[in-house]
Amino acid sequence: SPKYNIAVLKNVPIVSRRWIDACASSETSELTYEYEKFPFKCFTDCVVCVTGFQLEERKEIQEMVEKNGGEFRADLEKDVVTHLVAKQTNGQAEPTGPKYTHARMWKIFVLSRKWVDECVRRGVKLLEHEYDVKRMDSSLEL
């Protein structure tokens, strides 16, 4: 949502519904700011698929996604998968293959591995357009 995106850009802590519930049920009338105890999982509402990665790296991405609140799918399904993480190959203008082609046709985000790594590192879902594989390829040429 736009509010979420602004919070991420301004480094405002993102809290989970569990934090709100804990504050509401607290015996004091003051809000507690111990939101670190109730982390927001950065891939909440994300269904992620990958293409172009070897088995070991696939498993690593799957583990990161699931550990951080997302769902991982081996198959790209229209109206189910929200994000395709595509392997970028040096010298290739953009990824190829059926998953990539269909993801573009179905308007699914097609992102670099860096998006997954940075979301986990920062603990928030970062803006997808910043990590689109086409954008990443063009920024490498600068």
Side-chain angles (χ1 to χ4, degrees):
S1 74
K3 288 179 185 178
Y4 180 90
N5 293 338
I6 290 170
V8 169
L9 290 171
K10 294 186 175 273
N11 292 315
V12 173
I14 309 294
V15 297
S16 67
R17 174 65 190 213
R18 288 180 37 227
W19 179 81
I20 294 168
D21 292 343
C23 290
S25 66
S26 174
E27 292 181 11
T28 68
S29 60
E30 295 180 29
L31 287 178
T32 175
Y33 290 97
E34 296 175 338
Y35 48 83
E36 297 88 2
K37 292 181 181 178
F38 305 92
F40 178 82
K41 299 199 178 230
C42 61
F43 295 126
T44 298
D45 299 328
C46 294
V47 179
V48 178
C49 183
V50 297
T51 188
F53 294 97
Q54 295 297 319
L55 183 60
E56 192 60 36
E57 198 169 5
R58 261 180 197 278
K59 287 181 179 179
E60 189 177 294
I61 294 169
Q62 178 177 358
E63 186 177 299
M64 292 169 74
V65 167
E66 291 174 345
K67 189 182 281 187
N68 288 281
E71 184 179 336
F72 186 88
R73 295 286 178 105
D75 298 320
L76 184 74
E77 298 177 57
K78 184 179 184 182
D79 299 325
V80 174
V81 171
T82 57
H83 298 79
L84 176 66
V85 178
K87 176 83 170 183
Q88 292 180 274
T89 308
N90 292 339
Q92 190 176 341
E94 60 185 292
T96 59
K99 282 185 179 179
Y100 178 77
T101 303
H102 284 91
R104 288 291 185 206
M105 186 174 22
W106 296 336
K107 303 211 183 313
I108 295 171
F109 293 113
V110 182
L111 310 168
S112 71
R113 163 73 192 260
K114 187 175 181 181
W115 177 75
V116 175
D117 295 335
E118 288 296 307
C119 287
V120 170
R121 185 180 71 76
R122 294 197 41 205
V124 294
K125 184 175 80 170
L126 297 169
L127 299 174
E128 288 92 348
H129 74 274
E130 297 282 330
Y131 296 89
D132 187 283
V133 291
K134 279 188 174 183
R135 178 184 172 110
M136 298 300 286
D137 284 337
S138 64
S139 68
L140 292 175
E141 296 170 4
L142 296 177

